[in-house]
Amino acid sequence: MNRTFLLRLVFDFVAAGLLLVALAYYWLDNTVHEIVGTGMFLLIIVHNVFNRRWYKTIPKSRHEARGLVNSSTILILAVTMLVLLVTSLMISRTVFSFLPFSGGFSTRQIHILVAWWALIIVSLHLGMRWSMLMNVARNLCGVRGASTTRTVVLRVIAAVTAIQGIRSSFDLGMGAKLTAQISIDFWDFNESTAGFFFHIVAIAGLYMAVAHYAMKWLQGRKRKAPAQVRGA
């Protein structure tokens, strides 16, 4: 398997991991939070450099539903990350405090709002590529051929993760976070740091599963369409 491709995947997963860590702001101090965020954005830049040719395919993707959904999600993610970056620079108190920007309470609220939306959109983005990621995992593990048992086990895991993701959404108050509602219900990291990461990983898993099976459904529709035309 191409080593450059594997390196790209490693960078992408590290960037996603840094996003999860950055969401635990009250577990980190502000300086560490900014360093983690800076690392994440550097890896996002690397990701876009590696995938720069993809942007030329956008005009062609609008001709099919799967491509349109994929392109729309990536463009929304790009805008989300751009807003997150700009607000980060505006409210920075350490790493980028030398910049002539300033941001008050409203900028901070926008930053927090967009950060939680970034979790959802990144999860959808990964979910749309889950089949490819599973193929990579199978090749690395030397797994060959189909297995009904393996498929059932993986689907059960996906279902359990999605159910837990729904429960975790309520435990973390995602409704308030995604609508910028002011809440004093902060996660107590003195009680359980692992619990916080368990919940956000479950939420990420929920949206990854939704995206993965939605893309499979769209792919199935595309395959059925020619058959229906031939049968007409």
Side-chain angles (χ1 to χ4, degrees), residues 11-225:
F11 285 160
D12 292 346
F13 275 102
V14 172
L18 291 177
L19 172 62
L20 299 185
V21 173
L23 288 171
Y25 180 83
Y26 295 102
W27 176 54
L28 311 169
D29 62 36
N30 184 74
T31 301
V32 175
H33 174 79
E34 291 191 19
I35 292 172
V36 168
T38 301
M40 183 190 74
F41 280 116
L42 289 175
L43 289 175
I44 290 173
I45 292 172
V46 172
H47 174 82
N48 279 276
V49 170
F50 276 129
N51 293 277
R52 61 189 181 280
R53 294 180 181 176
W54 173 85
Y55 291 97
K56 297 180 181 179
T57 68
I58 294 177
K60 299 178 182 178
S61 65
R62 69 178 185 272
H63 298 300
E64 58 175 352
R66 193 172 185 273
L68 180 60
V69 171
N70 180 52
S71 298
S72 299
T73 303
I74 293 176
L75 292 176
I76 292 171
L77 178 58
V79 172
T80 300
M81 287 301 174
L82 181 60
V83 174
L84 194 61
L85 174 61
V86 172
T87 54
S88 297
L89 297 176
M90 291 178 66
I91 63 176
S92 175
R93 299 204 304 264
T94 51
V95 178
F96 298 101
S97 59
F98 61 90
L99 294 175
F101 302 135
S102 62
F105 177 77
S106 296
T107 305
R108 191 173 301 277
Q109 289 299 105
I110 293 172
H111 181 75
I112 295 171
L113 171 66
V114 174
W116 284 105
W117 272 107
L119 170 65
I120 305 301
I121 301 169
V122 167
S123 301
L124 293 172
H125 183 59
L126 286 174
M128 291 177 183
R129 284 146 188 79
W130 197 249
S131 294
M132 178 270 290
L133 295 174
M134 292 298 293
N135 287 333
V136 172
R138 280 194 289 267
N139 289 332
L140 290 176
C141 297
V143 177
R144 297 291 184 270
S147 169
T148 302
T149 301
R150 185 173 64 243
T151 299
V152 170
V153 170
L154 291 174
R155 287 179 179 176
V156 169
I157 293 174
V160 171
T161 302
I163 292 171
Q164 179 57 51
I166 295 172
R167 294 182 59 185
S168 295
S169 297
F170 287 102
D171 289 339
L172 287 186
M174 288 297 291
K177 288 179 170 61
L178 296 176
T179 54
Q181 296 180 30
I182 298 176
S183 172
I184 60 173
D185 186 21
F186 299 112
W187 183 265
D188 187 356
F189 286 98
N190 292 320
E191 290 292 328
S192 176
T193 300
F196 175 82
F197 287 106
F198 171 79
H199 285 311
I200 58 175
V201 168
I203 292 169
L206 165 63
Y207 288 97
M208 287 168 65
V210 168
H212 172 64
Y213 286 105
M215 295 303 276
K216 287 180 72 71
W217 177 75
L218 288 173
Q219 193 171 12
R221 281 188 60 190
K222 183 180 178 181
R223 288 173 179 172
K224 288 180 181 179

